[in-house]
Amino acid sequence: MLVPRPHLSNLLKREQHRLQLLSAPAGYGKTALVHEYLQGLEQPGQVVWLRLGGRAQTLESLNSALASAFGVAADAVLALLGSGKVGTEPPLSRAGSLLHGSTVNCRSTLACEEAIASHEDSKIRLVFDDLPAELPTDLNHWFDQLLSLHNPHLQILVTCRQRPDWNLPRLMLDGQLLDLQARHLALRPDEFEALINAMAPDTDTASRERLWHQTGGWCAGVRLLLPLALGDAGSSLLGQYLDRELLSRLSEDQLEVLCGLAHLSKASAELCEQLWEGQQAGRVFNSLLQCQAFLVPVDHQPGWFRLLPLVAQPLQGQLSPGPLNRLRLRACQLLSVLGHVDDAVEQALCADQPEVAANYMERLWLSWILGERHLNTLMDWRERIEPQLLQSSPRLIYLCAKALLFSGRLDEAQECLLRLGRFVPLPDPQRNRRLLANWQGLFGTLHALRGNTEQASLHCRAALAVLTHQDWLSVLLCHCILARIAMQTGDLTEAQALLQSSLELARRQGSHESEVLVNTDRVRLMMLQGELSQAQALLRTELKRMTGNRTQPCSLLGRLMFLHGELLLQLGHTDEAGQVVRAGLVAVRDCCAPFVLNGYLLLSELASRNQEREKAHLMLYEAERRMHWGKIDSACYEGPITAQKARIAQREQTAPTRLSVVPDYQDDLTPRELSVLKLLAEGMSVREVGSHLFISQNTVKTHAKNINVKLGACRRTQAINSAKAMGILA
């Protein structure tokens, strides 16, 4: 089953370097990608495809095959390629054979005889498919000579499982190397979904989530594991595949270290060196990296890698309980020293040491919860650690309460916050005031999520009067809550000042995750102010930063994508909005935070605008299911879902016959039109509205006319009633 990968094939077309190197373990679609790239070229030129099959090669066998393909003597191959002058006879007729039965296939699937015979393009492309891991010294030297030839029309494409021992740094410095590795070749979430839909479209959401977590975008892994996910255990060839493609190629030392890594969430050469003292485990770890043993880089943590879960699982039964627990506890200590506290917590829990895990949790930065999928991780820890341990200190209570608030589990968050009373008063008056202020900041957030804006404002302002720079995250949270309240009440100047202060605070603390959250509110403010181009520019900047070097999806990225979809919808780009929102839902497939609701609301609105009533209601049903599954408080989702249902119902009531003109619902109200509508709903006259907004009466009338058209109304009162039914007006 072939999934088109235009972003990669286009990259190969765009980056026309001397060497295009695709280096990854088996099953990452390297050969298929080269096929797709060459098939997409208008003029591929002369293509010679050598299928090496990973088998040992010699300089003589490889040189002889190329000489046969070009119809020259073996010692003239480099000179020929350096000059770029090839014979006019199609090389397919002169294809020779390589050692161990490999063949030269110049056709591949490209039907390239016509391109070669016509010679409209003088480009020469040599494809070395599945280059063996070990090459003799003289053959490596030959490749270095080949790559140093001064022929601008020569291009080398290599697929391999282990990076060759060539002068790659020099090629990179000369701008002559495109290096695609496993992290680039792994399926993206949308490609993963396309593959599942093609192979087994009825696969449920939970199975898809497990498959994604276990395979990490490894194409062959998805295809091997999918029958298991569907309950067809007999068709699984996973164990045989791993034995053949990986384990049989490793030494005893490599196998020992790899079996240990199967129990760790991540590892580095330094960690391995200390875990297996006296065994040169750092060198062994590097050799595993070199031979592409399914160790994938950890995002934004240079030098750290994790073993693909699908590969780790079959190896986890190799260690007996005693040595395994010693390994886990040693790893727990080392990871905490190296600053990876969350991984230390996980190892302590796996070693059945919840007290140790709770002790390490106290060392976590409070802003840690904002990044990656850490919210899900913390909620999982709460299920595995006894409640009395999580209630043993104010810091742990604060951390858990914040996680519960962000997860929309408001009743549990309130119970958690009330437990802070057991620690009040503290002996130190200043610490006691700060503890109460942090408590008030979270309580203000709780009230805001429940819609009690007055109480939320009182708590947040009281907290800000006491909080210090040490409590910067609580300060930022209070500022954001107050800014959202200001936006709801129309005080956009106050909102802008609060968000600007929050942005500066996040930047000074070096917290990119906090900066992203603040910028989502800034985008909403820009949308209210009618500054749509500025909002779009800021969103694009953040999306680019979030997707730059990331291999795994994350909740912050999904939040940005939903906001981007909302902005696109407001701009009238409905098709693009749908694509962005659906991609966002894929990125947050296993996230249980309330903001996931936004994606389903947007898809429901898109379906409603397209007069797809059943689909619009289905999206709302799915939204409710996700909220129930995440145990999210009804205050976080009932209001928005009810408003969307009213919006759909209003459209149905005003639906046109076969005879009348279809009302234009393609554009939402602009921020200015919304301001005019709110003032008219308060009973102001046209003159009063103009005076209040500093615009002319004619401008007010124009806005009122546009409002009527967009809401399908004939009169002002009808427009106001429609807006209330749709949830536009409270």
Side-chain angles (χ1 to χ4, degrees), residues 618-639:
L618 179 63
M619 289 297 102
L620 296 181
Y621 172 81
E622 184 65 17
E624 285 186 309
R625 189 192 72 81
R626 285 293 295 266
M627 298 298 103
H628 296 161
W629 171 64
K631 302 179 182 178
I632 294 169
D633 194 283
S634 60
C636 297
Y637 64 85
E638 278 188 348

Side-chain angles (χ1 to χ4, degrees), residues 357-378:
N359 180 51
Y360 280 124
M361 281 179 67
E362 288 212 60
R363 306 182 193 181
L364 286 170
W365 289 98
L366 293 177
S367 59
W368 169 84
I369 199 174
L370 302 177
E372 300 297 330
R373 295 186 175 272
H374 296 163
L375 179 61
N376 284 22
T377 300
L378 185 53

Side-chain angles (χ1 to χ4, degrees), residues 523-539:
V523 168
R524 290 203 173 278
L525 177 60
M526 291 172 183
M527 292 167 68
L528 285 174
Q529 293 171 326
E531 300 171 347
L532 302 187
S533 59
Q534 293 94 319
Q536 194 163 27
L538 179 56
L539 262 178

Side-chain angles (χ1 to χ4, degrees), residues 527 532 536 563-578 602 605-606 609-610 664-670 710:
M527 292 167 68
L532 302 187
Q536 194 163 27
L563 188 55
H564 191 206
E566 187 177 337
L567 178 58
L568 289 169
L569 185 61
Q570 186 166 331
L571 291 169
H573 306 315
T574 53
D575 291 341
E576 188 179 355
L602 285 167
E605 175 63 13
L606 285 164
R609 291 185 179 199
N610 291 329
D664 181 9
Y665 293 113
Q666 294 306 306
D667 297 313
D668 284 334
L669 298 181
T670 66
K710 291 182 178 182

Side-chain angles (χ1 to χ4, degrees), residues 112-140:
C112 64
E113 306 101 37
E114 295 85 359
I116 296 171
S118 64
H119 282 275
E120 293 176 357
D121 185 356
S122 59
K123 196 78 171 182
I124 307 171
R125 289 185 170 91
L126 299 183
V127 181
F128 297 93
D129 188 20
D130 202 2
L131 192 77
E134 300 294 335
L135 294 176
T137 303
D138 58 350
L139 188 51
N140 277 325

Side-chain angles (χ1 to χ4, degrees), residues 674-719:
L674 184 60
S675 300
V676 169
L677 180 59
K678 286 181 177 178
L679 295 176
L680 290 173
E682 292 174 7
M684 287 190 182
S685 66
V686 170
R687 182 182 58 80
E688 289 171 331
V689 172
S691 175
H692 187 85
L693 296 177
F694 302 101
I695 57 178
S696 69
Q697 294 185 41
N698 285 336
T699 303
V700 176
K701 291 177 182 177
T702 300
H703 286 315
K705 181 180 178 181
N706 291 337
I707 291 168
N708 287 344
V709 171
K710 291 182 178 182
L711 298 182
C714 299
R715 300 182 303 277
R716 180 190 305 179
T717 53
Q718 186 183 358

Side-chain angles (χ1 to χ4, degrees), residues 213 342 345-347 349-350 354 357 361 368-369 373-387 390 399-400 403-404 407 409 412 590 592 630-631:
H213 172 72
D342 49 349
V345 173
E346 184 62 34
Q347 287 303 315
L349 287 174
C350 290
M361 281 179 67
W368 169 84
I369 199 174
R373 295 186 175 272
H374 296 163
L375 179 61
N376 284 22
T377 300
L378 185 53
M379 298 304 290
D380 175 62
W381 290 346
R382 288 186 70 255
E383 301 295 326
R384 299 161 65 189
I385 300 178
E386 295 88 345
L390 295 176
L399 184 66
C400 291
L404 288 165
S407 298
R409 297 164 71 163
E412 294 176 70
D590 61 346
C592 58
K631 302 179 182 178

